[in-house]
Amino acid sequence: MEGVDHLAHERNKSEFDVDAMKIVWAGSPHAFDVSDRISKLVASDPGFRKDNRSTLSRKELFKNTLRKAAYAWKTIVDLRLSEEEAAKLRFYVDEPAFTDLHWGMFIPAIKGQGTEEQQQKWLPLAYKMQIIGCYAQTELGHGSNVQGLETTATFDSQTDEFIIHSPTLTSSKWWPGGLGKVATHAIAYARLIVGGREHGVHGFIVQLRSLEDHSPLLGITVGDIGMKFGNGAYNTMDNGVLQFDHVLDVYSIAFASIAVMLWVSQVTCEGKYKQSDVPRQLVYGTMVYVRQTIVADASCALSRAVCIATRYSAVRRQFGSQNGGPETQVIDYKTQQSRLFPLLASAYAFRFIGEWLKWLYADVTQRLQANDFSTLPEAHACTAGLKSLTTTATADGIEECRKLCGGHGYLCSSGLPELFAVYVPACTYEGDNTVLLLQVARFLMKTVSQLGSRLSSKKPVGTIAYMTRVEHLMQCRCGVQRGFAELSADLVEAAVAHCQLIVVSKFIEKLQQEIPGKGVKQQLEVLCNIYALFLLHKHQGDFLSTGCITPKHAALANDELRSLYSQVRPNAIALVDAFNYTDHYLGSILGCYDGNVYPKLYEAAWKDPLNESVVPDGYHLYIRPLLKQEIRTARL
Ligand SMILES: CCCCC/C=C\C/C=C\C/C=C\C/C=C\C/C=C\CC/C=C/C(=O)SCCNC(=O)CCNC(=O)[C@H](O)C(C)(C)COP(=O)(O)OP(=O)(O)OC[C@H]1O[C@@H](n2cnc3c(N)ncnc32)[C@H](O)[C@@H]1OP(=O)(O)O
Ligand SMILES: Cc1cc2nc3c(=O)[nH]c(=O)nc-3n(C[C@H](O)[C@H](O)[C@H](O)COP(=O)(O)OP(=O)(O)OC[C@H]3O[C@@H](n4cnc5c(N)ncnc54)[C@H](O)[C@@H]3O)c2cc1C
């Protein structure tokens, strides 16, 4: 029945202050207030309806996304929302769109790599959305290998202009979000050529379309690259293809520095290239920034899937009826708990590692401004490795949550197929996860000699096994005289182990903070132990081979895991309630707050366009002739 909370009995079992946990999850009382207010604003506005996406054609879907993006912008302006509130609104609108790249990459790139002059020229236009930008780095022929990009930017000292050109088919820009049909400007990455000499890949701000009629400018060929994985999902985004045919970057030499997108290098008025004495990798700064935001996004996406699967697991009953009594809730099966609760623990673990990574990124950015590059290698390794670890675990976790919901998990109305389809490219964009782990492996190889310092007694006991595992994996690989390439598959495993160590360590550090609320810290300690022991169980071969645990320890760890699952069980619904997601944002009948699943599933089915008529379109043309065939064929 509507209005009845079918999960009330579960909520009454909670052993901790859920409202206090909501603050922990949000990060602060202020952050909770903004999230709570904006999520309810979006959920209550029919202009942000999203339950019809899977029934729209690509063109209808895309036009609807443009409408929503424009409506969101109008809402932001009319309500005078702050930058923080506006970002939250775009998050809860929950639709990949060109605005993700405009706000998520184009603006950060100008802020992070532009000179004062460039920021003064471009940021006011971008903040008012009087220009719409995208981040055009990847090409048809190269994505991972940035140094392999082929687009050229040749400085013409005669005319004081840059000529941007796509010399080959494979140099066509390919994939940039928002590029296909919307962006008026791009930060395009190209090989800078000055005076016949090449100076590597740099970013350029290039106008693509007229601000009068949106037509592509002279020399610009631009379009969408076509349908992507899954229906609806990321097809709301116009990932594009772009070719430059000797495009003049219209900025004269007086503004040449405006075009060359970097405070780390300049083309002077005399047409000379001036490289600052900073690491050339700063040109990758935007990717590092986005990678750390993607870790926070992973905790959002995983928590969303876990919320759906946990609530449904408490609603679903299957087998186990005694004397005609109710069947067993599937959440009470140990197999369901052993699949679901480590994902619940991971969602919290990724939330806290995302908080730490945000601090690390802010710290390295502050140091860069003082020309202190000492922590840049570690920041690169951490953002690359944690982006890889959390997105792989989240993509796999969303799929596991679909399976935890049985057949109904495969319905679009469960919200899980679309969440999976939208999320999985996170394992590829912003750096292929394996390529990024190779960067971590390279960092570890360089620092393996310092790993010994890790085993200082001041480290929490819980992490010593994890530290020893990384050292063992590295020493096993580095000890043999074979090249990096030959050992790369093994070194990637060590890189994963290193990242898991970081997540466990930061979760433990989080628990050393003051955490208010009855029972809140105790619940987080249980989740931290589940995360750490689940990984120890999953990789027990590594841990046993280090000798720092014995088979008996491994068995005890498994017993402890089962006990921890029993401790989580009465708090599971409250722990996902703490994410404070509206039914609108979850977009899932299986995950609805009141647990009133079956009537909603049944009602939703009849809304499918296929049920607009009891006799399907096509019956008379195809089915009736089939059914009315000669009797003789029926006897075959
Ligand atoms: C409907 C339901 C809705 C559900 C919604 C739910 C969830 C949605 C979730 C997400 C969506 C929402 C928000 C997501 C937010 C943002 C994302 C949005 C969209 C994503 C758009 C994607 C954009 C892109 O993909 S941009 C392009 C990204 N491309 C890459 O990442 C390329 C990867 N390649 C590289 O980075 C480099 O090529 C390389 C691999 C690092 C190699 O570089 P190279 O120059 O060749 O260097 P090396 O020789 O390897 O190393 C030399 C030296 O440099 C050091 N180094 C390398 N990189 C860096 C760096 N970045 N910083 C510092 N130092 C670096 C390296 O270590 C080495 O050092 P050494 O010499 O000392 O060893
Ligand atoms: C949805 C989506 C949105 C995107 N948005 C943007 C955007 O806005 N802007 C933009 O510029 N780009 C964007 N991209 C492109 C994205 O950044 C690239 O696809 C990504 O960096 C991977 O590069 P690639 O496609 O060249 O993969 P490849 O490198 O070709 O990967 C193919 C395989 O080769 C392996 N491999 C590659 N190099 C090595 C190596 N050295 N050692 C071992 N294995 C290797 C990889 O692990 C992978 O298994 C987007 C991509 C997607 C899917």
Side-chain angles (χ1 to χ4, degrees):
M1 291 83 80
E2 274 310 305
V4 173
D5 180 0
H6 296 257
L7 288 170
H9 65 291
E10 287 291 338
R11 294 181 166 111
N12 292 337
K13 294 176 186 171
S14 167
E15 299 161 339
F16 68 96
D17 181 341
V18 181
D19 291 332
M21 186 67 89
K22 288 180 179 178
I23 304 290
V24 172
W25 178 262
S28 69
H30 167 76
F32 170 76
D33 168 62
V34 171
S35 283
D36 189 55
R37 198 160 28 85
I38 299 297
S39 65
K40 286 171 179 159
L41 170 77
V42 171
S44 61
D45 189 330
F48 294 122
R49 176 190 177 204
K50 64 178 189 177
D51 57 355
N52 62 341
R53 274 193 296 224
S54 58
T55 61
L56 301 177
S57 70
R58 174 86 198 279
K59 287 179 81 172
E60 291 166 334
L61 185 73
F62 183 69
K63 189 175 179 182
N64 189 46
T65 300
L66 298 185
R67 175 193 65 75
K68 274 191 201 175
Y71 186 66
W73 181 247
K74 184 177 183 308
T75 305
I76 290 164
V77 172
D78 291 353
L79 300 181
R80 294 190 171 79
L81 298 185
S82 68
E83 204 174 316
E84 179 189 14
E85 291 167 327
K88 275 296 173 193
L89 184 127
R90 284 189 290 271
F91 173 81
Y92 284 115
V93 167
D94 184 33
E95 188 136 324
F98 63 89
T99 41
D100 287 340
L101 284 305
H102 177 76
W103 296 99
M105 295 200 78
F106 182 74
I107 288 175
I110 296 171
K111 286 172 71 174
Q113 299 180 40
T115 59
E116 272 306 309
E117 185 186 25
Q118 289 165 334
Q119 295 191 37
Q120 283 161 15
K121 172 174 178 58
W122 296 109
L123 287 181
L125 297 169
Y127 274 121
K128 292 181 200 141
M129 293 201 81
Q130 288 168 342
I131 62 172
I132 297 174
C134 67
Y135 184 89
Q137 176 178 295
T138 302
E139 296 174 354
L140 188 58
H142 293 91
S144 291
N145 180 8
V146 178
Q147 290 311 312
L149 296 177
E150 298 174 83
T151 303
T152 57
T154 307
F155 180 69
D156 181 342
S157 57
Q158 301 305 313
T159 61
D160 294 343
E161 289 167 328
F162 290 95
I163 299 166
I164 315 280
H165 184 58
S166 305
T168 60
L169 174 67
T170 49
S171 67
S172 308
K173 291 301 177 186
W174 190 276
W175 272 114
L179 169 64
K181 310 309 286 185
V182 180
T184 61
H185 289 69
I187 292 176
Y189 282 78
R191 318 191 72 80
L192 174 60
I193 300 167
V194 180
R197 268 195 67 202
E198 204 194 90
H199 297 280
V201 172
H202 289 69
F204 291 78
I205 299 176
V206 189
Q207 185 168 349
L208 307 173
R209 292 175 178 271
S210 156
L211 293 178
E212 298 311 313
D213 64 6
H214 209 60
S215 57
L217 298 183
L218 184 65
I220 297 280
T221 304
V222 65
D224 184 89
I225 61 171
M227 280 288 277
K228 295 167 288 272
F229 184 96
N231 205 3
Y234 224 93
N235 289 299
T236 56
M237 176 83 77
D238 54 325
N239 298 87
V241 49
L242 163 65
Q243 282 194 329
F244 299 103
D245 181 3
H246 299 94
V247 170
L248 296 186
D249 222 356
V250 293
Y251 306 103
S252 71
I253 185 67
F255 290 110
S257 58
I258 285 190
V260 180
M261 251 296 301
L262 278 170
W263 55 267
V264 294
S265 59
Q266 299 286 319
V267 176
T268 65
C269 291
E270 298 74 38
K272 296 279 181 265
Y273 175 76
K274 199 174 76 175
Q275 164 76 42
S276 312
D277 54 352
V278 295
R280 72 170 173 80
Q281 282 73 22
L282 290 182
V283 75
Y284 298 158
T286 306
M287 293 187 281
V288 177
Y289 163 74
V290 176
R291 286 169 191 156
Q292 61 93 17
T293 67
I294 288 176
V295 173
D297 287 320
S299 74
C300 296
L302 182 57
S303 57
R304 190 167 157 180
V306 166
C307 184
I308 294 168
T310 302
R311 287 178 176 167
Y312 182 64
S313 295
V315 167
R316 184 68 168 178
R317 290 175 179 272
Q318 205 70 193
F319 299 111
S321 167
Q322 304 294 327
N323 309 322
E327 292 181 69
T328 302
Q329 291 170 276
V330 297
I331 198 170
D332 286 328
Y333 291 121
K334 279 300 179 190
T335 48
Q336 192 84 351
Q337 293 177 7
S338 68
R339 293 160 61 196
L340 178 60
F341 292 162
L343 296 176
L344 174 59
S346 299
Y348 276 87
F350 295 170
R351 189 69 166 182
F352 301 140
I353 198 67
E355 284 178 355
W356 174 75
L357 205 56
K358 187 175 177 183
W359 167 84
L360 182 72
Y361 180 78
D363 179 67
V364 75
T365 303
Q366 202 173 19
R367 290 167 183 266
L368 292 181
Q369 280 151 6
N371 274 351
D372 170 2
F373 308 112
S374 59
T375 60
L376 188 61
E378 184 180 8
H380 166 50
C382 283
T383 48
L386 291 170
K387 181 269 180 187
S388 179
L389 179 83
T390 56
T391 54
T392 295
T394 297
D396 294 347
I398 295 170
E399 168 58 2
E400 187 61 23
C401 286
R402 180 191 66 77
K403 290 187 280 189
L404 281 160
C405 295
H408 304 340
Y410 194 63
L411 283 167
C412 282
S413 60
S414 76
L416 290 164
E418 190 172 45
L419 176 55
F420 180 77
V422 166
Y423 190 78
V424 288
C427 298
T428 304
Y429 62 53
E430 228 48 75
D432 166 84
N433 280 356
T434 299
V435 168
L436 294 181
L437 286 173
L438 288 165
Q439 288 289 306
V440 179
R442 177 170 172 165
F443 170 77
L444 289 176
M445 289 278 279
K446 288 181 65 180
T447 55
V448 73
S449 55
Q450 299 155 19
L451 281 179
S453 62
R454 286 179 190 264
L455 271 176
S456 54
S457 56
K458 67 174 181 297
K459 289 288 184 189
V461 172
T463 60
I464 288 181
Y466 274 80
M467 283 189 284
T468 312
R469 173 191 176 210
V470 175
E471 287 165 20
H472 178 79
L473 289 172
M474 286 305 294
Q475 278 149 14
C476 286
R477 274 80 188 181
C478 299
V480 293
Q481 293 310 318
R482 266 171 281 167
F484 182 90
E486 175 64 22
L487 295 171
S488 53
D490 305 88
L491 289 167
V492 155
E493 287 178 7
V496 170
H498 174 69
C499 296
Q500 288 171 340
L501 164 62
I502 297 173
V503 178
V504 170
S505 305
K506 296 307 172 188
F507 204 156
I508 292 171
E509 281 178 25
K510 177 74 180 179
L511 297 174
Q512 285 156 359
Q513 295 172 13
E514 184 60 39
I515 299 178
K518 177 182 88 60
V520 171
K521 182 175 259 192
Q522 289 80 347
Q523 287 305 314
L524 294 175
E525 281 165 352
V526 169
L527 292 175
C528 180
N529 290 333
I530 286 176
Y531 184 75
L533 290 178
F534 170 75
L535 288 179
L536 187 145
H537 176 70
K538 184 179 176 186
H539 301 283
Q540 61 181 288
D542 289 348
F543 288 97
L544 288 168
S545 61
T546 61
C548 68
I549 69 164
T550 65
K552 184 164 176 48
H553 289 147
L556 287 172
N558 212 20
D559 295 344
E560 177 61 14
L561 260 181
R562 277 197 306 277
S563 163
L564 289 164
Y565 294 156
S566 303
Q567 293 175 52
V568 166
R569 170 64 189 88
N571 299 287
I573 292 301
L575 284 167
V576 298
D577 284 350
F579 302 144
N580 200 39
Y581 292 145
T582 62
D583 283 352
H584 171 273
Y585 176 64
L586 279 182
S588 167
I589 288 175
L590 305 190
C592 58
Y593 183 85
D594 66 6
N596 191 23
V597 171
Y598 294 136
K600 288 176 179 171
L601 273 183
Y602 190 78
E603 183 191 346
W606 297 109
K607 289 179 181 169
D608 189 279
L610 215 51
N611 290 321
E612 282 164 4
S613 63
V614 289
V615 174
D617 194 10
Y619 162 75
H620 293 284
L621 261 180
Y622 307 113
I623 304 301
R624 183 177 176 79
L626 210 62
L627 296 172
K628 296 298 178 191
Q629 284 179 78
E630 289 300 318
I631 296 302
R632 64 178 170 73
T633 48
R635 286 200 197 96
L636 291 180

